Amino acid sequence: MSKMRKTLQISRPFGKVGILALLWLLFFIGAAEAAVHLKPVQSQLLAPGVGNPNRTFEIQLDRLNTRVDHGEHIDCVFIGSSRVLVGLDPEAVEKAYANITGNDFKCQNFGVLGMGIQGSAGTATMLANLYHPRLIVIGTNFIDFGVGLPDKAIVDSPFVREHSGHINFDGWVTTWSLAFRDYLAEVSYLAIDNAQDEYNYLGYNITKPNGFLPLIGHKTDNMQNWNNLNVHYKITVESTRPVKSILAIKKGNTQILFLEIPLRTSTFKAVPHAAEYRHEFEDGINFVLQGSGSQIWLTQDLNLIPESGWIESNHLNVDGAEIFSKWVGEQLGKSVKDGSLILPEWSQPNP
Amino acid sequence: MSITSLVFAGFVLVVLCLYYLLPGKSQKLLLLAASAIFYISWDWRFAITLTLVIIFNFYIGRRLHKLRGQETAQSAGERPKKGKRLLWLGIAINLAALLFFKQSGFFLHGFQALLNRLGFPNQTSALAIILPVGMSFYILQAISYLVDTHQNQIPVELPFIDLALYLAYFPKVLSGPIERAGSFLPKLSERVVVDNQQITESITRILIGLVRKIVIADVLAARIPTNFFSSPAKFSSIELIFWWITYIISLYNDFAGYTSIVRGVSGLFGINLSPNFDNPFFSTSVTELWNHWHMSLSQWLRNYVYLPLTRFMLRFNQSGRFLPNIIVPALVTMVLSGLWHGESWNYVLWGALMGIWIAAERIRTVYRPAGENLANLPPWHAKRIFSWAGFLVVIFLIAIPFKFDIANSFVFWRSLVTNWFLPPSLLGWRLPLIAFIPAFFIDWIQFGKHDELIFIRWKPIVQSVLLALCVLIIFLALHAEPAQQFIYQGF
């Protein structure tokens, strides 16, 4: 075997193609960014994505962004699952609030399909950091504390992490590049392989600009899907941890309110141990909220919703949502008026 | 540590810096240490198996070398029986080790079936053995080392570090290329000068590999319906064709991408690894395909199985037209190739089909007068296009047991005939069709000029645009689909 010799011999010019490529790269990125900011181009594209596996989340974020971009001050955001998405009409809340207080109160619905308490916590932190609403209402009930809900992916997505205090490259790019956000939406759309998913993906067309999804109709109660779910809703120390992280937001300039979203009476017959879970939910939340200055409004026992107000076992139809939202708006107005709910002054959102 | 991860990129950069700072003699030690760290990062237990294989083969190799010296000194005519016995012992133990890890599932499955019949269900799960990653590759190289030593193709007694690097060198330890000892070992000492050209070529290989893996293979693999391989009967004939082509293109780009990346990485150290692919889908016969697909395995099988077996067969009948002399070596070689790929019967069927077809092609060339050489015709010539289309149909059909189990292979073949009237679902085709564009572009350009690095012969301005686009689409593709493991790491 022969002796070793010097094997690295770099000579000039070196890296000319690389430097040129870098310039091209900047040009391509700039051109794409400029193109997607043109209205004719933007009108042809889907609502931008943020790389979140839950498309409703992306649509709701786009709805909120659009309103903020149009200069609206969002005072209040409702966060929660599909029960919030279809059960709280911001317009009805605003009207009822204004009737009591005489003041304007802009609300946005940020209900997301399949989002439990963990997803709500991450979303609330993100929205508080980005938009500084005066009030965040977490719409929830014991079902959101169920084991095995697929909402961890929502909080693990880079964009949510970026705006919840965990700086990361993907989240940074998503925040600053509209072209990248448009790409994420388009590529997720292209990945759809069946008509049902496509319908769901494009379903944002029926969501109002304030994030509310009105459902029309009334179905007789069908509990089949509940019996098939192998989930328990036991409230534990672990499952209430997201509630604590939501309360941490209060240190900023945002008030937090928990609101129980009611369930159809028959749900309590169909879900084994439902009454017990609901009781645990009430006790568990009250225990965590002790001394925090935040409160929970329990609604299940108020029997606010008539039978005609349900679309099925646990979702309100547009009539039920109207009744419930009006009640929420009135309660908010009264509480603010009598000082039992203190709302901070409005502050500028992040650019 | 996946080779497409940023961790691996950082690891290579650190090793490169240290490599060029250290004096020549220490460089090998550094490469060995880096290889150990890299391999342990997969699983430290795998490293024990690899170390034992290195020590065992080092010992056998040294004995073979000594015996060869003694035999030469004694008499040139005397048959070197002792050496041959030792060689066979070494080969047998290497193969036994591979069989132990690789085929244990195959035998355990049968053993469990027997136990089930006897009323003892689920007894063998405790015996499950994990195949150390890369073992299928380094065992073949160990055999190559022993044979080459025995055949005097490695003239000097090999230092331990050289053998260890030959088997464990980190760019190739996971999935090859399967280097022949006689050709790889000199590269360790006679490394090529890493100048601007070598760096450009290496980085180009890495980029081509990343595009193949991330932009093509991963995107395609993620889009194949999850029930495609388990329930082919549910798909229309058109869908069966489309998704099977998608799988084959994904498989090819996955492995070709891997090979390209590791060749690029190794090139930065001045060690050029052998190519594994040469635009295989532009072949016009199955025999030609195997000269262009996983070439290092094909060459190993040819050198150490096919040719020795053919020579053995010729002892009994020296006619090259004698059918068993044509059929048996091809069949045995391809069945062994199947068993190397996996421990189930579908691989045996796949190997047998390949072997039979290769034998048929050989019989045709032996018995029919030599026709026009297709390679001399232009690519657009009708004869060549017909031949190419015929090859694609054949390879499409006989490759099916490579991925489908035996029952589903038959279901696939049957459904292909019967399901023409099922309505296809075309929505899911959009992303694969987009990913086919770079897949076809890379191969077409490379094949057109018979140059895998044709891109660096283009004008610098075009190169720079291409480089920028590569970086951009790799970044975008990384955010389109979750990363997939390299398929050949499973073999």
Side-chain angles (χ1 to χ4, degrees), chain A residues 1-14 16-18 20-22 24-25 28-29 169-170 173 180 183-184 187 189-195 198, chain B residues 20 24-25 27-28 156 158 188-196 199 223 425 427-428 430-431 434 460-461 463-465 467-469 471-472 475-477 479-480:
Chain A
M1 305 275 168
S2 72
K3 272 190 167 182
M4 294 282 175
R5 60 207 160 96
K6 195 173 179 185
T7 51
L8 185 64
Q9 289 175 18
I10 300 174
S11 55
R12 287 183 184 182
F14 183 75
K16 188 179 148 195
V17 170
L20 267 175
L22 189 65
W24 277 114
L25 192 62
F28 289 143
I29 293 169
F169 180 70
D170 285 354
V173 175
F180 186 61
Y183 164 77
L184 289 174
V187 83
Y189 177 64
L190 288 174
I192 291 170
D193 60 4
N194 65 74
E198 187 186 36
Chain B
Y20 286 112
K25 278 187 180 175
Q27 288 178 328
K28 278 188 193 174
V156 293
L158 204 62
L188 283 180
S189 302
E190 305 277 343
R191 270 160 284 177
V192 299
V193 173
V194 179
D195 54 9
N196 293 19
I199 291 172
R223 299 268 53 86
S425 165
L427 258 181
R430 294 172 299 183
L431 268 185
I434 294 171
I461 189 83
Q463 280 184 53
S464 61
V465 171
L467 178 58
L469 285 175
V471 173
L472 203 57
F475 176 77
L476 292 178
H479 292 85

Side-chain angles (χ1 to χ4, degrees), chain B residues 2 5 16 37 154 171 242 256-257 262-263 280 283 289 299 341 445:
Chain B
S2 166
S5 65
L16 268 174
I37 292 167
I154 301 168
F242 180 81
V262 297
R263 288 184 71 211
S283 305
L289 172 92
Q299 281 159 13
H341 280 91
I445 299 283

Side-chain angles (χ1 to χ4, degrees), chain B residues 114-146:
Chain B
L114 180 70
L115 288 178
N116 285 345
R117 283 188 183 182
L118 296 172
F120 301 102
N122 303 325
Q123 300 295 310
T124 54
S125 56
L127 301 173
I129 296 157
I130 310 164
L131 173 73
V133 62
M135 190 177 192
S136 306
F137 294 85
Y138 65 68
I139 285 289
L140 295 192
Q141 293 178 105
I143 292 171
S144 164
Y145 162 67
L146 296 182

Side-chain angles (χ1 to χ4, degrees), chain B residues 43-219:
Chain B
D43 191 324
W44 63 270
R45 290 168 300 181
F46 295 167
I48 296 174
T49 318
L50 177 56
T51 309
L52 290 175
V53 169
I54 293 169
I55 293 170
F56 171 75
N57 283 288
F58 176 70
Y59 172 76
I60 297 282
R62 211 167 59 164
R63 290 285 306 149
L64 277 173
H65 191 262
K66 276 185 183 157
L67 281 171
R68 204 182 56 209
Q70 287 167 11
E71 280 154 3
T72 316
Q74 279 166 11
S75 95
E78 199 178 305
R79 282 174 66 84
K81 280 184 183 171
K82 236 181 172 179
K84 211 163 199 175
R85 274 203 297 270
L86 192 62
L87 172 70
W88 277 110
L89 178 74
I91 292 172
I93 290 176
N94 275 307
L95 285 178
L98 182 61
L99 275 172
F100 174 74
F101 285 102
K102 199 172 173 68
Q103 308 291 0
S104 55
F106 188 70
F107 296 116
L108 280 178
H109 187 71
F111 184 52
Q112 181 61 61
L114 180 70
L115 288 178
N116 285 345
R117 283 188 183 182
L118 296 172
F120 301 102
N122 303 325
Q123 300 295 310
T124 54
S125 56
L127 301 173
I129 296 157
I130 310 164
L131 173 73
V133 62
M135 190 177 192
S136 306
F137 294 85
Y138 65 68
I139 285 289
L140 295 192
Q141 293 178 105
I143 292 171
S144 164
Y145 162 67
L146 296 182
V147 175
D148 286 2
T149 304
H150 178 71
Q151 290 177 348
N152 209 10
Q153 290 184 34
I154 301 168
V156 293
E157 193 177 321
L158 204 62
F160 181 80
I161 191 169
D162 281 26
L163 178 66
L165 261 181
Y166 168 56
L167 295 180
Y169 180 46
F170 76 91
K172 71 176 180 66
V173 69
L174 297 181
S175 306
I178 300 163
E179 295 286 345
R180 198 170 174 169
S183 60
F184 178 81
L185 289 166
K187 291 179 191 170
L188 283 180
S189 302
E190 305 277 343
R191 270 160 284 177
V192 299
V193 173
V194 179
D195 54 9
N196 293 19
Q197 182 66 15
Q198 175 80 3
I199 291 172
T200 307
E201 287 180 3
S202 299
I203 290 173
T204 305
R205 283 200 172 98
I206 293 172
L207 267 174
I208 293 172
L210 288 172
V211 171
R212 282 193 186 278
K213 170 65 181 162
I214 294 167
V215 180
I216 303 167
D218 283 0
V219 169

